[in-house]
Amino acid sequence: MERTAAARTRDAPRRRAAVTMEQIEAFLRSLERRGRATGTIQAYRRSLTRFYQALPPDKRVGRDTLSRWRDDLLAQGYTARTVNAALSAANSLLDFLGQRECQMVRRLAVADQAQPELDRREYLRLLSAARAQGNERAYLLVKVFAVTGISVHGLPELTVEAVRANALAPEPGGPRRPIPASLREELLAYIRRRELTGGPVFVTRSGRPLSRTAVTAAIQSLAGDAQVAPEKCNPRCLRKLCQTTLAEIEADVRRLVEQTRDQLLEKEQRLVGWEAQDPP
C-alpha cells in the first residue's frame, strides 16, 4: 500500500534552520544572565566561533556534525581535553537552539599524562636551528610563544598594529601588555621586510592567519637540526616554558626581597636591639 503524504512528511528528516552568529551571541548573553563567569563566556565564544567557522556553507547542523568536527579538531592537534571543552560548548548551544538530537554525549578519554617540558637550552637550540636554516618566520614563532606566553588561538591578535603600539593581549579579549623590547625590534624588522601594512603578522601567502597545524609544523621543522624531541616542538610547550621561566624569576625576586629585609632587620638589631651594647 502506498504511504500517505502525511506519513512521508512525518518520517522525512526535519529541515533545520541555519545556525547564525546572532544565535550564538544570544546564547552567550543567556549565560551571562545566568551568572556564568566572564572567563567561561569568553572560552565559549572562542569555541563556538570556531564551531561556526567549521560548519558547511549552509551552516546547518546534522546528527554527524559534532563527530566530524571532533575528528577535525583532533587532526589539527588539539588535545582531548580541549576538544571535550569545545564539544561541551557546542552541545550547550544546540540545547539552547532546541536541536538536542544533534548533540554528542560521548566524551573523549583524557590521558592522565604529563605534558613534556621544554628547557631553555632546548629552546635556544630551536632558535639557533632556525637561524642556521634562514627560517625567520619559524624563529619568530618560537620566540613569540616562549617570550610572550601567547596562546596559539591568540596568535591572530599579534597584529602589525599591536606591535607598533607595543600592546599585545596574550589571550583574545584579555589585558594588553608591552612586548619585550628585543622581540619587538625583531618583529618590526620582519614587518618592514615583508612590507606588511596591517592585520596579523603571521599569515599565509593568501593573507589568511596561519592555522594551528601550520604553526606547529613550522616549529617542528626545526626539531631535527635542534636535536629536540618533536613532541616538545609546539606552541603549548613553548608557552609552558614562558610560564615556568616567569615563575622562577618571581621566586628569585621574592627570595632577594626576603634576604634584603632580613639584612635590614639584622642591621637595626645590632644598632638598637634590646641586647645591643649601649653607645659610649
Side-chain angles (χ1 to χ4, degrees):
M1 180 181 296
E2 184 178 355
R3 299 170 64 208
T4 66
R8 289 196 300 272
T9 301
R10 185 179 62 249
D11 295 341
R14 182 165 61 90
R15 182 71 170 171
R16 301 182 184 89
V19 174
T20 67
M21 286 303 299
E22 289 77 13
Q23 290 174 325
I24 291 175
E25 288 299 326
F27 167 65
L28 295 173
R29 287 194 297 272
S30 75
L31 295 181
E32 188 175 3
R33 288 194 298 271
R34 280 156 33 204
R36 301 297 291 271
T38 301
T40 300
I41 295 174
Q42 289 176 347
Y44 268 54
R45 175 173 280 107
R46 289 194 296 269
S47 293
L48 293 176
T49 300
R50 193 180 297 130
F51 174 60
Y52 179 80
Q53 293 170 345
L55 289 175
D58 64 4
K59 300 302 178 184
R60 299 182 190 277
V61 179
R63 293 180 183 276
D64 62 346
T65 298
L66 288 193
S67 63
R68 290 177 181 274
W69 188 44
R70 175 202 60 195
D71 295 344
D72 184 52
L73 290 174
L74 290 172
Q76 293 179 49
Y78 287 94
T79 65
R81 193 181 307 276
T82 301
V83 173
N84 282 337
L87 291 172
S88 176
N91 277 330
S92 297
L93 172 67
L94 293 175
D95 181 67
F96 176 79
L97 297 178
Q99 297 191 27
R100 297 179 184 84
E101 69 277 10
C102 297
Q103 290 178 317
M104 184 176 184
V105 178
R106 186 175 180 181
R107 296 170 61 86
L108 293 170
V110 178
D112 187 13
Q113 181 177 353
Q115 175 71 30
E117 293 195 12
L118 185 79
D119 63 38
R120 294 204 70 80
R121 289 176 298 179
E122 292 171 324
Y123 159 65
L124 294 175
R125 292 207 300 271
L126 287 172
L127 293 179
S128 296
R131 289 182 59 193
Q133 293 178 8
N135 192 340
E136 186 179 17
R137 186 168 73 176
Y139 169 90
L140 286 173
L141 283 170
V142 168
K143 184 170 277 192
V144 161
F145 289 114
V147 171
T148 69
I150 195 171
S151 61
V152 69
H153 60 261
L155 191 61
E157 300 291 326
L158 181 63
T159 61
V160 173
E161 294 83 357
V163 176
R164 288 175 177 164
N166 194 22
L168 173 66
E171 287 285 355
R176 294 181 176 274
R177 295 197 288 264
I179 302 170
S182 58
L183 172 60
R184 181 169 179 260
E185 290 174 3
E186 290 180 324
L187 288 170
L188 287 171
Y190 179 81
I191 288 168
R192 286 193 299 270
R193 282 192 288 272
R194 294 296 180 102
E195 299 181 346
L196 301 175
T197 58
V201 172
F202 299 106
V203 294
T204 64
R205 291 181 180 178
S206 62
R208 296 172 61 87
L210 289 182
S211 67
R212 181 190 185 100
T213 303
V215 169
T216 301
I219 297 171
Q220 288 189 339
S221 70
L222 307 173
D225 289 350
Q227 296 184 349
V228 176
E231 59 267 24
K232 296 183 180 183
C233 301
N234 57 65
R236 196 164 54 250
C237 286
L238 288 163
R239 189 182 186 206
K240 179 66 179 298
L241 174 65
C242 176
Q243 295 167 343
T244 301
T245 301
L246 287 176
E248 291 173 350
I249 292 172
E250 289 171 358
D252 288 342
V253 170
R254 285 195 298 271
R255 282 193 294 269
L256 181 59
V257 169
E258 292 171 359
Q259 291 171 3
T260 303
R261 181 200 60 183
D262 290 344
Q263 291 169 3
L264 174 63
L265 294 177
E266 289 173 4
K267 180 180 179 180
E268 292 174 345
Q269 184 69 16
R270 290 195 299 270
L271 291 173
V272 296
W274 186 260
E275 301 295 336
Q277 183 178 357
D278 292 336

